[in-house]
C-alpha cells in the first residue's frame, strides 16, 4: 500500500511555511493525531490494520468512507450545486483532491487527518462536469426522487425540498471528532470553491453521547452486522464474506464490470437517505404493547416487544442467541454477537420473520446468498429527546429538534443493494413468508397502519398493529464516489 498524507486547507499555508515542500508528501511527517476521529464501541468489530489488507485491494485509492462503515464521531454532509464547471474542476484538482482521505489513512490514528474529506457526485453533477459515460446503473442515472414515492412508499410531501429540486450535483463528507474541526474545514473548502459551487443543503450528524455511542436514536446498537469484504481484514464468526465487486465497481464480483468505463473502477454508489425517527412515539408504543413471557414484568415485556421488532436487544445481543433476555456480555463481543444465521430456527420462535434485522439481512432464510449486500456508513443526526417530548410522548414539531439517521449505503449496483432491500424485503408484507408484514422499524405503508406477525411467541396467530411510521423518509439521492485517481486524473481535468 502507498502511504499518503492529507492536509486540511486551514493548515496548508502554515505547513508549507514550516516544512520544505518535499516533506508535504513524505512518509515521515509527524502524526497530527493522538486520538481517533472514529468511534470504537465494544459491540462493533475493529477495523483491520493496513498490514491486514490484501495487496489486491487498492485501499490507498479508495475513498475512506466506503469500507470504514458506521464509525464516525461527527460528520457533515454538504450538498452542493456546480455553478461554473471549469472553475469547479480547477478547485477540485488543486484544492480538494489533495485532501480526499483514502481508506488506509483511517486505519491507524497516526495517519488520520484532522478532518477526513470525501466527495461524491450525482448523475446530474457528472453531466455538468462534462461526463456522460454510462456507469451502468439506471437508478443512479434517474435519481432517487424519480420513483421513491411509488417504489419505497415515500411520502413526497415529507421530502426536504432540496432533494426534489434536481439541483444537487454532489456531496462533500467531512468527518472529525469536533465540530470546530469540521467548521474550519468547511470554511476553507468554501473559500477554495468560491463562486464555482453553492450550498444546496447540509445535514450534520454525530455519534450519540456517552454510553449511547454507536446506538441509533431508538437506543439500539447499530453497525454490528456489516458484511466482510474479502481482502479487507479477516471475517469474524458469523460475518458474511462478500466479493469486493459487491461494493466496488470493477472488482471481482461486479457483474456489470465489463460495460463500465475504466475510470469508474474502485468507486462505489452512495445511497443517501435522511430518515426521521419518532422516538417518543416508539417508546410509548412499546409501553402500550408489552409482550409478556413467563414472569416478565410489564417493563421487561415492553423491552421484549422492542427486541422482537428489531431482532436485537438494545445492547446489540441478537434474539437468535439471547431469545428471552438481554445479554450485554454477549453483545459486547464481536466474535459472538453476529455468530448466527437463523439456521438455529426455521420459524419465528427466537426471531420473528418480520424483525428488522431478519427483513434486511435474511441470512440462511435465503441460503446466505452472496448478493444484495451493502456497506452501511450512516450516522445519527439531531439532538437527544427533550424532557417536554418525553412528557408528551410526542416528537416536537420544531425543525431544530428533528432527529434520525443520516443513512448511507455503499454498493456497486443500487438496484441489487439499497433499492432491492428496501423494496423487495423491507416493504414486502409477504417476505420472507406470506403474511409476515412489513419491516416494523423502517417499513412504511405510506403513513397508514399495518400488521406484522410473530411478535408474540406464545400466540403466533396474533398480529401486532403498527400504528404509525416510526421512521419517515425525508428524502435523499444517489451519488457516485469515485476513486481518488479518477478524481485527480479524469474528473478534474
Amino acid at each position: 500500500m502507498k502511504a499518503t498524507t492529507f492536509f486540511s486547507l486551514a493548515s496548508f499555508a502554515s505547513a508549507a511555511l514550516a516544512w520544505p515542500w518535499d516533506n508535504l508528501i513524505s512518509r515521515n511527517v509527524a502524526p497530527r493525531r493522538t486520538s481517533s476521529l472514529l468511534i470504537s464501541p465494544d459491540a462493533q468489530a475493529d477495523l483491520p490494520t493496513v498490514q491486514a489488507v490484501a495487496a489486491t485491494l487498492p485501499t490507498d485509492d479508495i475513498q475512506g468512507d466506503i469500507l470504514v462503515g458506521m464509525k464516525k464521531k461527527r460528520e457533515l454532509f454538504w450538498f452542493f450545486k456546480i455553478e461554473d464547471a471549469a472553475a469547479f474542476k480547477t478547485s477540485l484538482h488543486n484544492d480538494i483532491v489533495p485532501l480526499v482521505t483514502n481508506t488506509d489513512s483511517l486505519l491507524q490514528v497516526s495517519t488520520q487527518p484532522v478532518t477526513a474529506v470525501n466527495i461524491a457526485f450525482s448523475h446530474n453533477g457528472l453531466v455538468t462536469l462534462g461526463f456522460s459515460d454510462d456507469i451502468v446503473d439506471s437508478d443512479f442515472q434517474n435519481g432517487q426522487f424519480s420513483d421513491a414515492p411509488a417504489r419505497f412508499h415515500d411520502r413526497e410531501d415529507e421530502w426536504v425540498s432540496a432533494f426534489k429540486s434536481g439541483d444537487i450535483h454532489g456531496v462533500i463528507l467531512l468527518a472529525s471528532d469536533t465540530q470546530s474541526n469540521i467548521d474550519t474545514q468547511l470554511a476553507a473548502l468554501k473559500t477554495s470553491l468560491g463562486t464555482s459551487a453553492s450550498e444546496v443543503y447540509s445535514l450534520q450528524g454525530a455519534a450519540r453521547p456517552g454510553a449511547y455511542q454507536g446506538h441509533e436514536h431508538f437506543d439500539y446498537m447499530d453497525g454490528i452486522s456489516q458484511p466482510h469484504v474479502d481482502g479487507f481484514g479477516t471475517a469474524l464468526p458469523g460475518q458474511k464474506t462478500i466479493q469486493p465487486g459487491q461494493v466496488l465497481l470493477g472488482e471481482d464480483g461486479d457483474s456489470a464490470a465489463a460495460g463500465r468505463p475504466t475510470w469508474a473502477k474502485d468507486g462505489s454508489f452512495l445511497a443517501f437517505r435522511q430518515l426521521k425517527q419518532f422516538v417518543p412515539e416508539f417508546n410509548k408504543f412499546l409501553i402500550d404493547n408489552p409482550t409478556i413471557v413467563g414472569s416478565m414484568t410489564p417493563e421487561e415485556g415492553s423491552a421484549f416487544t422492542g427486541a422482537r421488532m428489531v431482532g436485537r436487544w438494545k445492547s446489540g445481543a441478537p434474539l437468535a442467541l439471547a431469545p428471552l433476555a438481554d445479554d450485554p456480555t454477549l453483545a459486547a463481543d464481536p466474535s459472538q454477537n453476529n455468530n448466527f444465521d437463523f439456521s438455529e430456527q426455521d420459524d419465528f420462535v427466537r426471531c420473528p420473520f418480520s424483525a428488522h434485522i431478519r427483513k434486511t439481512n435474511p441470512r440462511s432464510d435465503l441460503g446466505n446468498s452472496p448478493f444484495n449486500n451493502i456497506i452501511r456508513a450512516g450516522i445519527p443526526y439531531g439532538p437527544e429527546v427533550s424532557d417536554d417530548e418525553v412528557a408528551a410522548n410526542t416528537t416536537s414539531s420544531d425543525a431544530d429538534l428533528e432527529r434520525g439517521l443520516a443513512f448511507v449505503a455503499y454498493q456497486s449496483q443500487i438496484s441489487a443493494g439499497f433499492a432491492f432491500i428496501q423494496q423487495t424485503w423491507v416493504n414486502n408484507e409477504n417476505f420472507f413468508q406470506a403474511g409476515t408484514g412489513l419491516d416494523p422499524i423502517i417499513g412504511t405503508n405510506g403513513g397508514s397502519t399495518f400488521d406484522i406477525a410473530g411478535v408474540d411467541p406464545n400466540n403466533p396467530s396474533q398480529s401486532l398493529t403498527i400504528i404509525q411510521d416510526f421512521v419517515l423518509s425525508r428524502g435523499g439521492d444517489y451519488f457516485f464516489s469515485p476513486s481518488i485517481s479518477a478524481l485527480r486524473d479524469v474528473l478534474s481535468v
Side-chain angles (χ1 to χ4, degrees):
M1 302 292 170
K2 291 180 291 185
T4 309
T5 304
F6 301 94
F7 284 70
S8 70
L9 287 172
S11 64
F12 184 86
S14 60
L17 291 173
W19 302 316
W21 179 257
D22 287 346
N23 284 345
L24 290 178
I25 57 173
S26 168
R27 297 178 183 222
N28 300 315
V29 172
R32 290 159 292 156
R33 279 194 169 275
T34 57
S35 61
S36 180
L37 59 78
L38 304 175
I39 64 171
S40 186
D42 290 340
Q44 293 182 5
D46 291 335
L47 292 171
T49 63
V50 175
Q51 293 73 25
V53 176
T56 54
L57 198 61
T59 45
D60 59 343
D61 196 33
I62 297 168
Q63 292 202 55
D65 195 52
I66 297 171
L67 298 178
V68 164
M70 307 177 72
K71 286 184 171 290
K72 284 81 65 174
K73 289 182 178 177
R74 303 190 71 85
E75 185 171 24
L76 175 71
F77 301 88
W78 191 74
F79 300 91
F80 62 86
K81 179 181 180 181
I82 299 169
E83 303 288 358
D84 182 330
F88 179 87
K89 280 186 175 183
T90 298
S91 181
L92 177 63
H93 188 84
N94 293 339
D95 303 318
I96 298 177
V97 171
L99 299 175
V100 174
T101 309
N102 68 17
T103 304
D104 283 354
S105 65
L106 292 177
L107 299 184
Q108 54 189 15
V109 174
S110 63
T111 57
Q112 289 178 359
V114 173
T115 300
V117 178
N118 275 193
I119 188 169
F121 296 93
S122 67
H123 178 261
N124 287 345
L126 290 180
V127 170
T128 300
L129 289 176
F131 296 93
S132 56
D133 296 357
D134 184 4
I135 317 181
V136 194
D137 195 295
S138 59
D139 289 308
F140 171 69
Q141 183 171 342
N142 295 332
Q144 193 175 131
F145 183 59
S146 66
D147 63 1
R151 192 177 189 182
F152 307 137
H153 304 169
D154 282 13
R155 292 150 63 183
E156 183 177 334
D157 60 318
E158 296 288 353
W159 269 48
V160 173
S161 59
F163 292 126
K164 298 187 286 186
S165 67
D167 289 338
I168 294 177
H169 290 161
V171 58
I172 292 177
L173 286 62
L174 302 177
S176 192
D177 53 348
T178 70
Q179 193 60 48
S180 175
N181 287 341
I182 289 176
D183 292 344
T184 298
Q185 185 66 85
L186 179 61
L189 285 169
K190 286 181 175 180
T191 298
S192 269
L193 289 167
T195 59
S196 71
S198 60
E199 177 177 322
V200 180
Y201 184 63
S202 66
L203 186 66
Q204 177 65 58
R208 295 183 62 205
Y212 291 105
Q213 193 174 87
H215 296 248
E216 48 72 54
H217 277 294
F218 292 143
D219 289 347
Y220 294 86
M221 176 59 73
D222 208 349
I224 295 177
S225 57
Q226 300 275 31
H228 164 249
V229 176
D230 192 24
F232 193 60
T234 304
L236 291 170
Q239 190 177 24
K240 181 194 296 186
T241 295
I242 63 173
Q243 291 181 289
Q246 287 280 296
V247 179
L248 299 165
L249 277 66
E251 292 290 346
D252 290 345
D254 175 12
S255 59
R260 288 173 162 156
T262 56
W263 62 262
K265 190 174 190 291
D266 293 317
S268 187
F269 291 111
L270 186 169
F272 180 88
R273 301 267 280 175
Q274 180 173 332
L275 301 177
K276 179 179 180 179
Q277 293 179 253
F278 291 88
V279 178
E281 292 86 347
F282 178 79
N283 290 337
K284 181 64 162 57
F285 180 81
L286 299 186
I287 292 171
D288 291 344
N289 294 276
T291 302
I292 307 294
V293 174
S295 60
M296 286 182 182
T297 65
E299 182 178 6
E300 290 169 336
S302 294
F304 189 46
T305 297
R308 298 285 289 182
M309 290 169 65
V310 173
R312 291 185 186 270
W313 300 89
K314 290 188 175 182
S315 68
L319 284 178
L321 301 178
L324 293 175
D326 197 357
D327 187 340
T329 301
L330 166 67
D333 184 352
S335 69
Q336 297 187 60
N337 63 21
N338 204 34
N339 192 17
F340 65 95
D341 65 3
F342 300 128
S343 63
E344 303 86 359
Q345 58 176 95
D346 58 5
D347 53 26
F348 55 83
V349 173
R350 283 178 175 261
C351 181
F353 290 115
S354 59
H356 171 64
I357 70 163
R358 198 164 187 176
K359 274 285 207 176
T360 56
N361 187 11
R363 304 183 188 227
S364 64
D365 289 341
L366 292 181
N368 287 306
S369 168
F371 306 108
N372 311 120
N373 298 288
I374 56 176
I375 297 289
R376 292 176 296 124
I379 190 170
Y381 73 88
E384 296 296 299
V385 175
S386 69
D387 292 342
D388 289 344
E389 290 174 298
V390 172
N393 296 311
T394 304
T395 297
S396 172
S397 60
D398 185 343
D400 290 337
L401 296 182
E402 180 179 323
R403 63 188 60 82
L405 181 70
F407 173 87
V408 172
Y410 289 100
Q411 59 264 285
S412 62
Q413 195 79 41
I414 296 169
S415 63
F418 157 72
F420 179 93
I421 293 169
Q422 187 71 29
Q423 179 182 21
T424 308
W425 293 346
V426 167
N427 275 341
N428 182 352
E429 65 183 359
N430 294 314
F431 180 80
F432 165 71
Q433 290 184 345
T436 293
L438 310 180
D439 183 321
I441 305 301
I442 63 171
T444 176
N445 193 27
S448 299
T449 63
F450 58 90
D451 292 340
I452 60 171
V455 173
D456 188 349
N458 297 316
N459 190 354
S461 63
Q462 180 176 330
S463 62
L464 177 65
T465 299
I466 304 301
I467 60 174
Q468 71 166 90
D469 291 340
F470 295 119
V471 174
L472 176 69
S473 171
R474 301 278 280 126
D477 212 339
Y478 301 134
F479 302 90
F480 182 64
S481 182
S483 68
I484 297 172
S485 59
L487 287 170
R488 181 189 64 234
D489 301 334
V490 179
L491 300 180
S492 65
V493 297

